[in-house]
Amino acid sequence: MPEALPSRRCPRVLGYALNAFPAETLDELWACLQTDVLQLKNAVFPHEPFPIELRFSARIVKDLQTPGAVDRLRDFLRVHQLDLVTVNGFVMPHFHGQPVKERVYLPAWHESDERENFTNNCLDLLAALVAGGSVSVPFGALKPVAMGAVAPGILRSAEHAQRTGCILALEPEPGLCVETTDEVIEFFQRFVPDRLRPHVGVNFDLAHQLVEFEDVVHSVKRIQQAGIQIAKIHVSNAAEMPALQPFYTDSIYLHQTCGADAAGHRAWFSLDWPATPPPAGLSKFRTHYHLPVYPTELPSTLAEVERFLTSPTGLPASVPFIIETYTWPQQLRGRERLVENIARELTWVRERISLSHQVRGL
């Protein structure tokens, strides 16, 4: 267990996504909360609440519907100052230990009402645990599914979010029918009425948009200028390399990979690690694999992440910044040093945010 660090309040809500801890059932979630998470709180947030994101699987949602389960969880979070600010409702099946790949998006919004029902259950559970907060979900389904096909189910869940007082946080990701900032704005302009805007927004994941070779500072400003709220920021770091080379190719997760042309614009895409070489003339590549959010020898987009953390974006301080490095169990002896690694990420990110606000006199 790392030694407790001095308390330094961050000028915005900064927390961690607990999907880094393998927990597929409520019993496994309890084991994680009572050990690793409390160690992490004592290490980084010893004298203040620790903002967290819980991941709800279909099994955990079912387990939480047993009598007394929600009350017990709510009491534990309150007693131990674990501030539940958001829920990850992205992945319904297992997320660790077995190949996930494209199954991460299933069931899809347009194929049945199963995704909608699961999302609504997550919203209900979040509302029973805390007042407000957001539930993040896939922004659509894999292309070539069109926006119009997924819009009805998303909007019905947005209506449900309005009834619960929570926010439905739609998460763009490379390969989905809503993956770029242009497509986010298009979807909201075409499908989301003004009356639902307070209860449906975007979970902006830095790694996802960096893989697209977007300027993430500019993207966040554009989304806000379009009248779309950003419910939370996933602070994450993607892989970057001048030429494709084997990179955790045995991962259980997809390796969405984009190549940029000489001007730095996305010019090529592969949904997973490419089976054949990419075309010639590409200047660099980025891969959707969440690397540590602090300096390592691994080639990554960390410089872009740091630029985002230290730049004025216009985001209210209440918008939570949630670090999401769910790949820890696969890399850098991550599982055996999980608390230590996560504490280091939180400290590094907090220092960048705090330094930025000191420089700007905020």
Side-chain angles (χ1 to χ4, degrees), residues 20 34 50 63 72 104 121 204 214 221 245 271 309 317:
Q34 292 169 332
F50 175 19
D63 291 347
R72 182 188 174 204
V104 72
N121 285 335
F204 191 92
E214 292 190 9
K221 290 180 178 179
Q245 51 190 321
L271 182 62
L309 295 173

Side-chain angles (χ1 to χ4, degrees), residues 90-112:
F90 199 108
V91 187
M92 288 179 59
H94 60 261
F95 192 55
H96 288 283
Q98 304 176 40
V100 181
K101 299 295 183 180
E102 292 91 338
R103 294 182 65 247
V104 72
Y105 310 112
L106 299 178
W109 285 101
H110 65 296
E111 293 178 332
S112 71

